[in-house]
Amino acid sequence: MGRRMSDGELLMVCQHHLIPTRLIDVSTKPLEALFFAVEKEDGTDGRLFVVAPHQTGSGLPQSYDPIRLARPELAAGEVRSPEPHPLPWARQLRGKRQSTEKWSIQVRLVSESPLDPRMRAQAGKFLVGGVHRHYSGLRMAYPQGYRVEDVTNVERPDISSLAINFAPGTGNERLSQAWRASGWTVRIHAAWKAELRDRLSKLKTDCGIEDITFDSIYPPVVEIERLGKHVAKQGVERFIHG
């Protein structure tokens, strides 16, 4: 698969075709992200997640800036990009000794141009990191009755592969430098979902921006049957509403 693609480009395409990767889809736009929290399961509360990887200027090294997985652009006079283009974590050490970058607790934004219509429609990017290990200051806990018990090292990989601190504090508190990203989550009540979907589908009328619907977020480029049904539905609606 992926002739003339870097391993990173192939991973990004595979992520959108139900193949497990270490990438996690995210959106850079809030309304598109909200759609995923309300698109289905009206009997269950949704969650909107906001994740902020720690960037240069927060006391962390330059290496925590966004990364590229595609092959680099052609330099002046070059006929082709370097090939193969290795993945950023390909040479990271395993076991008790960690590399200087400590890839196992990194959280990095993959900043690439859209590879397909779906990625562009969703304002999609990716987060990537190592398998979450235990380091000093990275305490992961969960409520157990009236106590808070630490999650064991064995349990960590089943919970998360990204070291994101979802208890960053409020007010003027500094973000924890032990973690490579901070996160917040907003509960979307189940009773709100239908109305929020309706409002997202009327953005063009109400706000002058593009509507957000299932068909606009998931462009049916390779699903001709669904595309045909969508076009037919539009024609019937125009006929009915004259």
Side-chain angles (χ1 to χ4, degrees):
M1 296 190 298
R3 182 170 180 261
R4 296 180 178 172
M5 300 182 76
S6 71
D7 288 346
E9 289 169 324
L10 182 58
L11 278 181
M12 288 185 281
V13 173
C14 288
Q15 176 69 10
H16 281 173
H17 289 272
L18 305 181
I19 298 175
T21 75
R22 68 190 308 144
L23 305 178
I24 293 180
D25 294 271
V26 294
S27 176
T28 58
K29 293 184 178 294
L31 293 180
E32 281 76 358
L34 175 62
F35 173 82
F36 294 108
V38 303
E39 68 170 319
K40 55 186 177 181
E41 298 181 6
D42 285 0
T44 305
D45 290 346
R47 283 282 175 179
L48 177 67
F49 292 91
V50 181
V51 178
H54 292 171
Q55 303 289 329
T56 302
S58 62
L60 296 173
Q62 180 75 25
S63 61
Y64 292 96
D65 277 341
I67 60 174
R68 299 285 308 274
L69 295 185
R71 285 184 291 169
E73 300 292 336
L74 287 174
E78 286 186 338
V79 179
R80 59 186 296 179
S81 298
E83 191 175 5
H85 182 57
L87 295 168
W89 55 84
R91 297 184 179 88
Q92 299 300 308
L93 298 178
R94 288 188 167 191
K96 295 182 179 180
R97 293 185 178 182
Q98 295 294 312
S99 69
T100 55
E101 284 193 310
K102 293 184 178 179
W103 181 261
S104 65
I105 58 171
Q106 283 200 40
V107 179
R108 303 282 289 276
L109 175 68
V110 178
S111 182
E112 298 288 357
S113 299
L115 292 176
D116 55 41
R118 177 178 294 189
M119 192 173 172
R120 183 177 293 277
Q122 298 173 359
K125 299 288 185 183
F126 301 98
L127 290 179
V128 65
V131 176
H132 193 169
R133 293 190 53 174
H134 176 75
Y135 289 90
S136 176
L138 296 181
R139 184 186 180 210
M140 183 186 290
Y142 62 91
Q144 182 71 21
Y146 293 100
R147 297 183 301 161
V148 175
E149 297 185 359
D150 283 340
V151 174
T152 67
N153 291 343
V154 176
E155 294 172 317
R156 283 173 181 257
D158 293 332
I159 296 173
S160 174
S161 63
L162 295 179
I164 300 173
N165 180 21
F166 277 95
T170 58
N172 296 322
E173 297 178 30
R174 295 193 58 169
L175 299 179
S176 172
Q177 300 304 300
W179 296 79
R180 297 307 186 254
S182 295
W184 297 262
T185 178
V186 179
R187 179 184 179 186
I188 309 296
H189 291 276
W192 301 351
K193 285 186 172 183
E195 181 178 349
L196 287 172
R197 283 199 306 271
D198 184 61
R199 293 192 178 200
L200 289 172
S201 70
K202 297 177 180 177
L203 288 175
K204 188 172 184 179
T205 301
D206 297 340
C207 305
I209 59 179
E210 291 179 311
D211 294 338
I212 298 179
T213 65
F214 181 85
D215 282 324
S216 67
I217 287 290
Y218 297 99
V221 175
V222 297
E223 300 177 55
I224 302 302
E225 180 182 359
R226 182 154 65 92
L227 178 60
K229 290 179 179 178
H230 174 73
V231 173
K233 180 181 177 182
Q234 285 185 322
V236 170
E237 288 176 348
R238 284 196 297 267
F239 177 79
I240 292 175
H241 299 293

